[in-house]
Amino acid sequence: MVAAINQFFCFHRKNLLMNLVMRNFKIKYRGSVLGYLWTLVIPLSQVVVFYFVYQVVLKIPIPNYLAFIVTGIMPWVFFASTVNESLESLVAGQNLLSHVPMPIQVFPAATVLTNFFNLLLAFPIIFGVLLWSGITPSFTMILAVPYLVGLFLFTYCLSFILACLFVLFRDVKYIFSIFLNLWMYATPVLYTIDLVPDKFRWIFFVNPLTGFFVGFRDALINQRPTDPSLIISFVAWTAGLFLIANFVRSHLSAKLVERL
């Protein structure tokens, strides 16, 4: 198991992984005036729009809604943009994979790491909004760290699986794009679960990301432990995706390279 984890997360090819991450940063911001700031401008513009719609127009009864929406949009933008970018990473790296022996998972891993660094760099803004909203820092906030680790693992495993599927079926890109839009509104990113009628709440308990968003906000805003059942669900989904992704890596990597 230790060897499988070491290979799946490319610990044995750390230099290669970091070189790809640095390449991603250079390519992503090359020729851009604002550069890295675009990774903040885009989610913050969404925060402004959703805040106006849900708080100013609809006036949904959620305290500290600015803090609520920022702690929802920032992680969601990381997740959605990372999965979308990673989906084509194996196809984009086909020249290297066809001529240089390297683990196929290194390409989605580099994309996930690049965007995760961007998410971490956004935390001064998140904490600034929390302070602006009158939320006093406490030791409970440290609980946000394992949730971020869980989000990273979940995103990486899903990204790798989808990247492999995209090699076989190019329609995956368009199907998942539609699904991702539905997924956002079926996840408590913009609202709390208690605002949803009881007959629809089962959706949240089969949604793997519910545990993250509820727990992440409980740590940062409500400063309390969250519902254990949601945590168990999130961990179970992440573990299941890891097992699937590692099986694909260990048994199908060579075949996938041949299909590129």
Side-chain angles (χ1 to χ4, degrees), residues 87 90-91 162-170 256 259-260:
L87 196 145
L90 295 184
V91 173
L162 290 174
C164 293
L165 285 174
F166 184 69
V167 172
L168 303 175
F169 310 104
R170 300 304 166 91
L256 288 169
R259 288 291 299 270
L260 289 171

Side-chain angles (χ1 to χ4, degrees), residues 230-250:
L230 294 177
I231 298 176
I232 292 171
S233 174
F234 181 46
V235 171
W237 275 101
T238 304
L241 285 178
F242 168 73
L243 292 175
I244 295 171
N246 190 55
F247 176 84
V248 172
R249 177 202 63 81
S250 59

Side-chain angles (χ1 to χ4, degrees), residues 203-223:
I203 296 173
F204 299 105
F205 291 95
V206 298
N207 183 343
L209 287 178
T210 297
F212 167 78
F213 283 97
V214 174
F216 187 64
R217 287 188 175 119
D218 277 344
L220 293 180
I221 299 176
N222 302 321
Q223 299 182 3

Side-chain angles (χ1 to χ4, degrees), residues 30-49:
R30 185 171 55 198
S32 170
V33 176
L34 293 181
Y36 158 74
L37 291 178
W38 279 116
T39 63
L40 301 177
V41 171
I42 293 173
L44 288 176
S45 66
Q46 293 181 316
V47 167
V48 171
V49 171

Side-chain angles (χ1 to χ4, degrees), residues 22-147:
M22 295 306 298
R23 185 201 66 170
N24 288 347
F25 273 113
K26 291 177 181 178
I27 293 175
K28 198 166 189 177
Y29 304 123
R30 185 171 55 198
S32 170
V33 176
L34 293 181
Y36 158 74
L37 291 178
W38 279 116
T39 63
L40 301 177
V41 171
I42 293 173
L44 288 176
S45 66
Q46 293 181 316
V47 167
V48 171
V49 171
F50 287 126
Y51 181 87
F52 178 78
V53 172
Y54 284 87
Q55 190 69 18
V56 178
V57 178
L58 299 179
K59 300 184 183 299
I60 62 175
I62 298 178
N64 297 319
Y65 191 69
L66 181 59
F68 182 90
I69 197 72
V70 166
T71 52
I73 289 296
M74 291 294 191
W76 177 264
V77 169
F78 156 73
F79 169 73
S81 61
T82 300
V83 176
N84 276 326
E85 292 173 22
S86 300
L87 196 145
E88 299 185 58
S89 61
L90 295 184
V91 173
Q94 60 182 319
N95 289 333
L96 279 174
L97 287 171
S98 300
H99 298 91
V100 181
M102 62 176 63
I104 64 172
Q105 67 273 16
V106 74
F107 289 98
T111 302
V112 177
L113 267 178
T114 302
N115 289 343
F116 192 69
F117 287 147
N118 287 333
L119 175 61
L120 295 181
L121 290 172
F123 261 76
I125 292 178
I126 294 176
F127 281 113
V129 171
L130 292 173
L131 292 172
W132 177 269
S133 302
I135 298 171
T136 305
S138 73
F139 184 75
T140 312
M141 288 183 169
I142 200 69
L143 295 174
V145 174
Y147 285 108

